Amino acid sequence: VILSGHDEFAYAQRAIELGVAEYLLKPITVRTVHQVLQKIGTQLDEERRAQGQLRQLQEQMEDSVAVLRERLLLRLLVGAISAADAIEKSVPLKLDLVARCYTVAVLKLDPGDPSDALDFAEHHKVQQLVAELVEHDPDAFLIQKDWDELVLVMKGNAPDLLDEARDVFLQSVERRLGAAGYRLIVGIGPNKSRLAELCESFVEALIALQKRAAGLPQRAISVPTHELLRLDQEAIETFLRSGDADQVEAFFDKHLRPHSEAALRSPLLKNYICVGLIAAAARVIQEWGGNATDVVPELDALEETLTTMTSVADLRRTALRILNRVLAFREAQSHHPHVRLIQQAKTHIDQ
């Protein structure tokens, strides 16, 4: 606000150029000053509200991009998208996936003392400490697979250098976890030279982790179980290996339905429950020499499926469809020793 005794146009014009809100000519009353200040105060309040809304929109956009990035990486890991499509979709997300070699590791964050209940809030802080290590690394991606498991995907130009970078990262994670009273259990998949082979490395990393974590005691969790979405993947795999099609609905109600309502409240949580099911299915399919996308063609439209999945009934239909397709594939593999053994056992039981 400028108070002036000059009514020349040049002065007023210069004031406008400088962004002056008001150009007041003397003499001026207190009432006029009060009105001008009220007007400016209102403008400032509106600007602050607009800036707050803009920041909120930017944060929502960043969250949305983070969700889309994680979803894209998860689809790659479970073999639900081709490498060419993944690279195309990664461009608008500013996600550089092109490299000469890749490695996948699954990290389990486990408290050192099994007798202590796990504080979920503290556990989240520990996860953040790990996430900070890759925050500014364009060649490393960290995905939350479960409440206590993270998936590390790294890319590089030479296998030996990639192994070194991964080992350095894991050592840093181990140090941070050790300071927080945690221990790190890792399953590492073999290096791959093609982006399309990430699924194979992911499955082998899961198997390696399962072997390393075998026998670990169950821990008390200080958070409602509906927030954990911890799928019993071992139960899923066991069912896919030996269950029957007429048991699929009962299996869903026992092992998957308890997580359904919580999953539908969050895009990421919905990803987790679907990816947990798909990862178990992919692992079993690979044992029989199959390909996940061939056995369950709906995986090619996973993103669309997740977007349109808005109710427990939708999730149920998707899960039943995946389970039934895997069971049908298993029955078709009559030459596989494991399938023959199951059939012989069922025949013996029926007799």
Side-chain angles (χ1 to χ4, degrees):
V1 178
I2 290 180
L3 300 177
S4 175
H6 303 281
D7 61 353
E8 296 180 18
F9 175 73
Y11 289 116
Q13 185 180 40
R14 181 57 179 161
I16 292 172
E17 291 174 354
L18 293 173
V20 172
E22 293 286 344
Y23 188 87
L24 303 177
L25 288 173
K26 298 177 181 178
I28 187 171
T29 65
V30 173
R31 180 179 180 183
T32 301
V33 173
H34 183 68
Q35 289 174 341
V36 169
L37 292 177
Q38 276 190 325
K39 178 182 177 182
I40 293 175
T42 301
Q43 291 175 343
L44 290 174
D45 288 340
E46 290 177 354
E47 287 179 6
R48 279 193 290 268
R49 280 195 296 270
Q51 289 174 353
Q53 291 173 351
L54 179 60
R55 282 194 298 270
Q56 187 177 9
L57 286 173
Q58 289 174 335
E59 290 172 359
Q60 290 174 349
M61 287 180 64
E62 289 173 1
D63 290 342
S64 178
V65 169
V67 169
L68 291 174
R69 284 178 177 175
E70 184 156 356
R71 181 177 294 176
L72 178 61
L73 290 169
L74 287 170
R75 293 184 68 200
L76 260 176
L77 290 174
V78 300
I81 188 173
S82 69
D85 287 344
I87 291 173
E88 181 181 352
K89 291 180 180 295
S90 70
V91 174
L93 300 177
K94 297 181 180 179
L95 192 64
D96 184 8
L97 298 176
V98 179
R100 293 183 179 178
C101 52
Y102 305 86
T103 185
V104 178
V106 183
L107 287 58
K108 185 178 182 67
L109 315 182
D110 189 64
D113 188 352
S115 63
D116 292 339
L118 179 63
D119 185 332
F120 192 71
E122 185 64 26
H123 191 75
H124 179 69
K125 292 180 181 178
V126 172
Q127 289 177 329
Q128 290 300 111
L129 289 175
V130 178
E132 289 173 2
L133 293 173
V134 299
E135 191 173 3
H136 302 293
D137 188 345
D139 294 328
F141 314 103
L142 202 61
I143 310 158
Q144 185 169 350
K145 173 184 170 291
D146 209 333
W147 69 271
D148 63 343
E149 291 180 9
L150 303 172
V151 181
L152 172 70
V153 179
M154 297 187 74
K155 63 186 181 71
N157 292 319
D160 53 344
L161 294 178
L162 184 60
D163 286 342
E164 183 179 344
R166 181 198 62 216
D167 293 343
V168 169
F169 172 81
L170 293 177
Q171 289 169 6
S172 298
V173 171
E174 197 162 21
R175 284 195 296 270
R176 290 199 174 195
L177 293 185
Y182 277 63
R183 61 176 169 175
L184 176 66
I185 305 168
V186 183
I188 299 175
N191 290 349
K192 299 294 182 180
S193 59
R194 297 172 58 240
L195 189 62
E197 297 173 338
L198 272 183
C199 178
E200 298 174 14
S201 184
F202 176 52
V203 170
E204 293 189 46
L206 285 172
I207 294 172
L209 178 68
Q210 193 175 41
K211 292 178 179 178
R212 288 177 175 272
L216 284 180
Q218 296 295 319
R219 303 176 187 281
I221 310 298
S222 59
V223 66
T225 55
H226 70 271
E227 295 182 16
L228 299 179
L229 290 179
R230 183 176 178 84
L231 290 180
D232 189 346
Q233 292 194 357
E234 185 176 351
I236 297 174
E237 293 176 30
T238 300
F239 177 75
L240 291 175
R241 292 190 182 100
S242 58
D244 290 325
D246 58 2
Q247 301 170 332
V248 169
E249 293 188 6
F251 178 82
F252 174 87
D253 290 338
K254 180 178 180 180
H255 294 278
L256 300 177
R257 186 181 179 85
H259 306 297
S260 301
E261 293 183 3
L264 293 171
R265 289 195 291 267
S266 164
L268 277 178
L269 298 182
K270 186 163 57 177
N271 278 348
Y272 296 154
I273 188 171
C274 291
V275 169
L277 171 61
I278 293 168
R283 190 154 53 239
V284 173
I285 291 169
Q286 189 184 54
E287 290 178 5
W288 299 328
N291 181 282
T293 53
D294 292 338
V295 177
V296 188
E298 290 88 350
L299 295 184
D300 285 328
L302 182 59
E303 187 169 351
E304 180 182 352
T305 301
L306 288 170
T307 302
T308 57
M309 192 184 299
T310 58
S311 67
V312 173
D314 293 335
L315 194 151
R316 180 189 178 90
R317 279 192 295 271
T318 301
L320 296 186
R321 187 164 58 241
I322 292 173
L323 293 170
N324 279 315
R325 285 187 177 275
V326 177
L327 291 178
F329 171 76
R330 186 197 73 193
E331 294 302 314
Q333 308 306 304
S334 58
H335 62 280
H336 196 283
H338 186 75
V339 175
R340 287 203 305 270
L341 183 62
I342 292 173
Q343 291 173 341
Q344 291 171 1
K346 288 181 178 179
T347 302
H348 178 74
I349 292 171
D350 291 339
Q351 292 174 351

